[in-house]
Amino acid sequence: MGQSFYPQLRDILLAHGCQFLRQGKGSHEMWHNPTNDRRFPVPVTVVNRHTANEILKQAGIKEKI
């Protein structure tokens, strides 16, 4: 199995002020970016860099992994 990008993704989200809201369905978590009031799901099993970058885009963060 490949490398998980979840730890890097979580660190970037927390550095930008995003907050963990709750556990979602299955392996997903619900997060919130209070800067732009966006809510978005984050799978704990992120193994694809493109998926991780798309989650950052949904959160309104321009940084990339």
Side-chain angles (χ1 to χ4, degrees), residues 1-9 43-53 55:
M1 185 169 209
Q3 168 191 0
S4 175
F5 288 99
Y6 178 77
Q8 285 177 276
L9 182 59
V44 179
T45 57
V46 180
V47 292
N48 186 319
R49 181 182 308 271
H50 300 291
T51 303
N53 287 330
I55 292 167

Side-chain angles (χ1 to χ4, degrees), residues 1-22:
M1 185 169 209
Q3 168 191 0
S4 175
F5 288 99
Y6 178 77
Q8 285 177 276
L9 182 59
R10 182 191 62 227
D11 291 343
I12 293 171
L13 292 173
L14 290 172
H16 283 84
C18 295
Q19 304 165 339
F20 170 79
L21 293 176
R22 63 180 172 82

Side-chain angles (χ1 to χ4, degrees), residues 32-40 57-61:
H32 177 248
N33 186 345
T35 308
N36 54 21
D37 200 33
R38 291 187 183 180
R39 292 176 187 226
F40 50 94
K57 187 176 177 182
Q58 288 177 9
I61 298 171

